[in-house]
Amino acid sequence: MIRPLVSRLAPWLVVLVVLTYWLDKMLQQPGIQQNGDVQQGVDYIIENLDGIQVDYTLAAHRLFAADTLTHYPQGDITHLEQVNFASIEPDQPMVRVSADHAELTEGGKDIYLRGSVSVIRGEDADRDKVTMLTTFLHLIPDERIAKTDQPVVVTRMNSTINAVGLVLNNQTGEIQLLSRVSARDERTRR
């Protein structure tokens, strides 16, 4: 009597074990895909984001805005779309940065900007305002450094500089152009 019962339940037990195994694999995050890559699950998505970070000891303000923020818990990576940053500190010119795409790693220790990237150092009315345009920029906020190995256009007053590669130190105001540098001064001659 027990043997016929076991033989009738055996297929159902196999189906139950296989179903349990399959559900366990499907619900684990992150899982391993067949190609060997780690599948990163999205932790959260925020749309129309605006925020401010204040460092009271330095009297520094950092403003940020993005159309979309997507966070991945594995690696603590954050992707932003249509992003704008602004940094305001005493005795330093304001710095505004915008880009089509941004990736923040390690909680913002490194920020990689891609697409149409614009950096403006100084207020619009400032005579010494510097504008920089490129397609890629690596920001290191703790060191106040911005750098790229891509073509860049730097404009200040009536002068335009084209170069490939740049390192900008916001603390010292120093800009280092790395290669293929050409300059044009559009001032009218008197």
Side-chain angles (χ1 to χ4, degrees):
M1 217 186 231
I2 293 179
R3 194 173 282 246
L5 181 63
V6 170
S7 63
R8 282 186 283 174
L9 291 176
W12 291 108
L13 289 173
V14 170
V15 169
L16 184 60
V17 168
V18 169
L19 182 62
T20 303
Y21 177 77
W22 178 78
L23 281 172
D24 183 53
K25 288 296 181 190
M26 293 302 292
L27 295 176
Q28 287 182 9
Q29 290 292 332
I32 302 296
Q33 296 177 345
Q34 288 186 5
N35 64 6
D37 292 339
V38 176
Q39 176 184 341
Q40 293 193 12
V42 173
D43 194 6
Y44 53 86
I45 298 172
I46 302 172
E47 294 181 344
N48 300 317
L49 173 69
D50 288 306
I52 186 169
Q53 176 188 26
V54 178
D55 183 338
Y56 292 105
T57 58
L58 299 175
H61 295 76
R62 292 191 176 90
L63 310 163
F64 57 91
D67 285 356
T68 306
L69 176 147
T70 306
H71 183 262
Y72 300 89
Q74 183 165 350
D76 191 19
I77 297 171
T78 303
H79 289 278
L80 299 150
E81 301 294 325
Q82 299 305 316
V83 62
N84 293 291
F85 295 104
S87 179
I88 303 167
E89 298 180 37
D91 302 323
Q92 295 290 328
M94 180 170 70
V95 176
R96 293 170 283 168
V97 180
S98 64
D100 294 333
H101 310 281
E103 179 179 292
L104 286 72
T105 61
E106 298 182 45
K109 183 178 178 182
D110 287 294
I111 302 171
Y112 301 95
L113 304 172
R114 291 180 175 83
S116 179
V117 180
S118 168
V119 177
I120 301 171
R121 187 173 189 272
E123 299 283 342
D124 287 336
D126 285 351
R127 197 178 159 152
D128 290 334
K129 177 179 92 169
V130 177
T131 302
M132 181 183 74
L133 304 173
T134 188
T135 58
F136 171 79
L137 191 62
H138 177 194
L139 301 176
I140 308 167
D142 291 343
E143 297 176 25
R144 299 158 89 187
I145 300 286
K147 59 185 177 179
T148 185
D149 60 356
Q150 298 299 307
V152 63
V153 177
V154 179
T155 306
R156 180 175 174 257
M157 296 171 57
N158 297 322
S159 300
T160 302
I161 300 171
N162 292 288
V164 175
L166 169 141
V167 177
L168 173 106
N169 184 327
N170 191 46
Q171 187 167 356
T172 64
E174 181 178 302
I175 298 174
Q176 180 183 6
L177 303 169
L178 303 180
S179 67
R180 298 184 190 166
V181 179
S182 66
R184 186 176 64 240
D185 189 348
E186 299 293 330
R187 285 185 274 190
T188 56
R189 297 178 189 220
R190 294 181 187 197

